[in-house]
CSV table of all heavy atoms in Angstrom, one decimal:
chain,number,residue,atom,x,y,z
C,65,SER,N,10.0,48.3,-61.7
C,65,SER,CA,9.7,48.2,-63.1
C,65,SER,C,9.8,46.8,-63.6
C,65,SER,O,9.6,46.6,-64.8
C,65,SER,CB,10.6,49.1,-63.9
C,65,SER,OG,10.6,50.4,-63.5
C,66,TRP,N,10.0,45.8,-62.7
C,66,TRP,CA,10.2,44.5,-63.2
C,66,TRP,C,9.1,44.1,-64.2
C,66,TRP,O,9.3,43.6,-65.3
C,66,TRP,CB,10.3,43.5,-62.1
C,66,TRP,CG,10.7,42.1,-62.4
C,66,TRP,CD1,10.7,41.5,-63.7
C,66,TRP,CD2,11.3,41.1,-61.5
C,66,TRP,NE1,11.2,40.2,-63.6
C,66,TRP,CE2,11.6,40.0,-62.3
C,66,TRP,CE3,11.6,41.1,-60.2
C,66,TRP,CZ2,12.1,38.8,-61.7
C,66,TRP,CZ3,12.2,40.0,-59.6
C,66,TRP,CH2,12.4,38.9,-60.3
C,67,SER,N,7.8,44.3,-63.8
C,67,SER,CA,6.7,43.8,-64.6
C,67,SER,C,6.6,44.6,-65.9
C,67,SER,O,5.9,44.1,-66.9
C,67,SER,CB,5.4,43.8,-63.9
C,67,SER,OG,4.9,45.1,-63.7
C,68,MET,N,7.2,45.7,-66.0
C,68,MET,CA,7.1,46.5,-67.2
C,68,MET,C,8.3,46.2,-68.1
C,68,MET,O,8.2,46.4,-69.3
C,68,MET,CB,7.2,48.0,-66.9
C,68,MET,CG,6.1,48.5,-66.0
C,68,MET,SD,4.4,48.2,-66.6
C,68,MET,CE,4.2,49.7,-67.6
C,69,ILE,N,9.4,45.6,-67.5
C,69,ILE,CA,10.6,45.3,-68.3
C,69,ILE,C,10.5,43.9,-68.8
C,69,ILE,O,10.7,43.6,-70.0
C,69,ILE,CB,11.8,45.5,-67.4
C,69,ILE,CG1,12.0,47.0,-67.2
C,69,ILE,CG2,13.0,44.9,-68.1
C,69,ILE,CD1,13.1,47.3,-66.2
C,70,GLU,N,10.3,43.0,-67.8
C,70,GLU,CA,10.1,41.5,-68.2
C,70,GLU,C,8.6,41.3,-68.2
C,70,GLU,O,8.1,40.9,-67.2
C,70,GLU,CB,10.9,40.6,-67.3
C,70,GLU,CG,11.0,39.2,-67.8
C,70,GLU,CD,11.9,38.3,-66.9
C,70,GLU,OE1,12.3,38.8,-65.8
C,70,GLU,OE2,12.0,37.1,-67.2
C,71,ARG,N,8.0,41.4,-69.3
C,71,ARG,CA,6.5,41.4,-69.4
C,71,ARG,C,6.0,40.0,-69.1
C,71,ARG,O,4.9,39.8,-68.7
C,71,ARG,CB,6.0,41.8,-70.8
C,71,ARG,CG,6.7,43.1,-71.3
C,71,ARG,CD,6.0,44.4,-70.9
C,71,ARG,NE,4.6,44.4,-71.3
C,71,ARG,CZ,3.8,45.5,-71.0
C,71,ARG,NH1,4.3,46.6,-70.4
C,71,ARG,NH2,2.6,45.5,-71.3
C,72,ASN,N,6.8,39.0,-69.5
C,72,ASN,CA,6.5,37.6,-69.1
C,72,ASN,C,7.8,36.9,-69.2
C,72,ASN,O,8.8,37.5,-69.6
C,72,ASN,CB,5.5,37.1,-70.2
C,72,ASN,CG,4.5,36.1,-69.5
C,72,ASN,OD1,4.8,35.4,-68.5
C,72,ASN,ND2,3.3,36.0,-70.0
C,73,GLU,N,7.8,35.7,-68.8
C,73,GLU,CA,9.1,35.0,-68.6
C,73,GLU,C,10.0,35.2,-69.9
C,73,GLU,O,9.5,34.7,-71.0
C,73,GLU,CB,9.0,33.6,-68.2
C,73,GLU,CG,10.3,33.0,-67.8
C,73,GLU,CD,10.2,31.6,-67.1
C,73,GLU,OE1,9.3,30.9,-67.4
C,73,GLU,OE2,11.2,31.3,-66.3
C,74,ASP,N,11.1,35.8,-69.7
C,74,ASP,CA,12.1,36.0,-70.8
C,74,ASP,C,11.6,36.9,-71.9
C,74,ASP,O,12.2,36.9,-73.0
C,74,ASP,CB,12.5,34.6,-71.4
C,74,ASP,CG,13.2,33.7,-70.4
C,74,ASP,OD1,14.0,34.3,-69.6
C,74,ASP,OD2,13.0,32.5,-70.5
C,75,GLN,N,10.5,37.6,-71.7
C,75,GLN,CA,10.1,38.6,-72.7
C,75,GLN,C,10.4,40.0,-72.2
C,75,GLN,O,9.6,40.5,-71.4
C,75,GLN,CB,8.6,38.4,-73.0
C,75,GLN,CG,8.2,37.1,-73.6
C,75,GLN,CD,6.7,36.9,-73.7
C,75,GLN,OE1,6.0,37.9,-73.6
C,75,GLN,NE2,6.3,35.7,-73.8
C,76,PHE,N,11.5,40.5,-72.7
C,76,PHE,CA,12.0,41.8,-72.2
C,76,PHE,C,11.6,42.9,-73.1
C,76,PHE,O,11.6,42.8,-74.3
C,76,PHE,CB,13.5,41.8,-72.0
C,76,PHE,CG,13.9,40.8,-70.9
C,76,PHE,CD1,14.2,39.5,-71.1
C,76,PHE,CD2,14.1,41.3,-69.6
C,76,PHE,CE1,14.5,38.6,-70.1
C,76,PHE,CE2,14.4,40.5,-68.6
C,76,PHE,CZ,14.7,39.1,-68.8
C,77,ASP,N,11.1,44.0,-72.5
C,77,ASP,CA,10.8,45.2,-73.2
C,77,ASP,C,11.5,46.4,-72.6
C,77,ASP,O,11.1,46.9,-71.6
C,77,ASP,CB,9.3,45.4,-73.2
C,77,ASP,CG,8.9,46.8,-73.9
C,77,ASP,OD1,9.8,47.4,-74.5
C,77,ASP,OD2,7.8,47.2,-73.7
Side-chain angles (χ1 to χ4, degrees):
Chain C
S65 305
W66 191 340
S67 76
M68 305 300 276
I69 291 171
E70 191 177 3
R71 312 271 306 181
N72 216 328
E73 193 169 22
D74 296 327
Q75 297 174 16
F76 291 88
D77 172 11

